[in-house]
């Protein structure tokens, strides 16, 4: 899928083929200790060297990354309420980011949330308010959609993933970040059900390099426009190598075997 009439910001986030390799580094925003991201700028330098198009980071990491980012794109990962969207967008604009990412948790109950605070309907409402403010300023918005919330994410069905992606797109997302459903056929239904481009997340750490690359190859084959992947990149023993292998699939339509050679 090729993006038409891309904004200046989107041109930094996506290449001319409409695809993007985004490295997610926003985990310390909610988790206590992420040792693999202790030196965030060192990680950014390695993924840029490997061919990443953009980085997804919380404010602290983003604010200190300008020198190592160079011309790469920058997504700002945020939490917001309907009452804080204006200040969040103003902060993003002052920082000079290219886009904003927020999470929603369709059908999540507070008791199912890590912090016992997220009501699924409220997160969707917050995203709608954020989308309105982003549209005002021409900031691309990515919505990461987690049906039932993170603690119950492993109990999601393919149909629920597809439905959650549609909820995100209807809330005003320009792009949706979603789970991969495990096979091409079911993920094609996710793509077809979503009215905006979809990027896949990496999920839990995957040991097999071939499995990581095959997941991305299959997702791209059925219409995903890229990845927003974290620990399977910065948690890899060869950060630049795995980034280059993924870049070959996303931007050069390389096979898994060809991309593995770049890694090994």
């Amino acid at each position: 899928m090729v993006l038409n009439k891309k904004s200046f910001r989107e041109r930094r986030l996506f290449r001319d083929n409409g695809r993007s390799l985004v490295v997610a580094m926003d985990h310390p925003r909610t988790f206590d200790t992420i040792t693999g991201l202790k030196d965030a700028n060192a990680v950014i330098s390695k993924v840029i060297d490997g061919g990443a198009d953009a980085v997804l980071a919380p404010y602290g990491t983003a604010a200190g990354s300008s020198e190592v980012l160079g011309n790469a794109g920058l997504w700002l990962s945020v939490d917001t309420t309907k009452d804080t969207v204006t200040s969040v967008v103003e902060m993003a604009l002052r920082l000079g980011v290219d886009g904003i990412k927020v999470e929603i948790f369709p059908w999540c109950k507070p008791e199912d949330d890590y912090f016992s605070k997220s009501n699924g309907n409220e997160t969707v409402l917050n995203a709608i308010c954020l989308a309105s403010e982003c549209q005002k300023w021409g900031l691309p918005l990515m919505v990461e959609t987690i049906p039932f919330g993170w603690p119950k994410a492993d109990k999601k069905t393919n149909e629920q993933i597809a439905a959650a992606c549609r909820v995100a797109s209807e809330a005003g997302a320009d792009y949706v970040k979603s789970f991969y459903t495990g096979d091409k056929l079911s993920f094609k239904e996710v793509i077809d059900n979503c009215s905006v481009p979809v990027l896949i997340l990496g999920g839990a750490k995957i040991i097999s390099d071939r499995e990581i690359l095959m997941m991305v190859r299959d997702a791209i084959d059925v219409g995903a426009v890229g990845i927003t992947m974290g620990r399977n990149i910065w948690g890899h023993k060869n950060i630049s190598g795995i980034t280059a292998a993924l870049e070959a699939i996303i931007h050069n339509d390389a096979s898994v075997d060809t991309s593995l050679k770049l890694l090994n």
Side-chain angles (χ1 to χ4, degrees), residues 106-123:
W107 319 296
C108 179
K109 299 178 181 179
E111 58 266 28
D112 295 328
D113 178 55
Y114 278 125
F115 307 107
S116 299
K117 68 175 184 179
S118 289
N119 175 288
N121 290 340
E122 290 178 357
T123 64

Side-chain angles (χ1 to χ4, degrees), residues 46-67:
K46 290 177 181 177
V47 299
I48 297 300
D49 183 62
D53 299 300
V55 166
L56 166 66
Y59 185 87
T61 297
S65 67
S66 60
E67 291 187 7

Side-chain angles (χ1 to χ4, degrees), residues 104 144-150 152-158 160-162 164-165 176-182 186-187 190-191 198-204 215 219:
I104 62 171
E144 181 173 5
T145 183
I146 314 298
F148 304 102
W150 281 112
K152 288 193 172 182
D154 60 337
K155 296 181 174 60
K156 62 196 174 301
T157 67
N158 294 343
Q160 289 162 347
I161 291 172
C165 286
V176 170
K177 178 181 177 182
S178 170
F179 292 98
Y180 182 63
T181 52
S186 63
F187 194 67
V190 173
I191 296 293
V198 176
L199 300 92
I200 64 166
L201 57 85
M215 175 177 70

Side-chain angles (χ1 to χ4, degrees), residues 21-231:
L21 193 173
V22 184
V23 180
M25 300 175 61
D26 58 340
H27 304 67
R29 182 176 54 82
T30 51
F31 294 99
D32 293 335
T33 305
I34 306 293
T35 55
L37 293 174
K38 182 177 181 180
D39 188 345
N41 280 350
V43 173
I44 292 173
S45 180
K46 290 177 181 177
V47 299
I48 297 300
D49 183 62
D53 299 300
V55 166
L56 166 66
Y59 185 87
T61 297
S65 67
S66 60
E67 291 187 7
V68 291
L69 263 178
N71 294 322
L74 178 60
W75 291 94
L76 182 66
S77 179
V78 304
D79 290 301
T80 186
T81 69
K82 59 183 177 61
D83 298 316
T84 61
V85 292
T86 300
S87 59
V88 166
V89 171
E90 286 178 352
M91 179 175 67
L93 291 169
R94 285 196 299 270
L95 189 58
V97 305
D98 300 300
I100 287 179
K101 187 224 74 170
V102 72
E103 294 176 355
I104 62 171
F105 309 109
W107 319 296
C108 179
K109 299 178 181 179
E111 58 266 28
D112 295 328
D113 178 55
Y114 278 125
F115 307 107
S116 299
K117 68 175 184 179
S118 289
N119 175 288
N121 290 340
E122 290 178 357
T123 64
V124 174
L125 174 60
N126 295 340
I128 292 171
C129 295
L130 180 60
S132 176
E133 193 69 15
C134 285
Q135 290 163 8
K136 184 189 301 183
W137 294 100
L139 267 177
L141 176 63
M142 181 193 300
V143 175
E144 181 173 5
T145 183
I146 314 298
F148 304 102
W150 281 112
K152 288 193 172 182
D154 60 337
K155 296 181 174 60
K156 62 196 174 301
T157 67
N158 294 343
E159 290 77 11
Q160 289 162 347
I161 291 172
C165 286
R166 186 56 180 257
V167 169
S169 65
E170 296 294 355
D174 297 300
Y175 306 95
V176 170
K177 178 181 177 182
S178 170
F179 292 98
Y180 182 63
T181 52
D183 63 83
K184 288 185 179 182
L185 183 61
S186 63
F187 194 67
K188 182 67 164 57
E189 293 181 357
V190 173
I191 296 293
D192 291 345
N193 192 56
C194 190
S195 57
V196 299
V198 176
L199 300 92
I200 64 166
L201 57 85
K205 185 72 172 69
I206 300 172
I207 302 301
S208 166
D209 293 333
R210 178 174 288 275
E211 186 178 348
I212 296 170
L213 298 173
M214 182 62 75
M215 175 177 70
V216 176
R217 179 69 271 169
D218 287 351
I220 294 293
D221 284 345
V222 295
V225 299
I227 63 173
T228 308
M229 189 175 288
R231 58 177 62 84

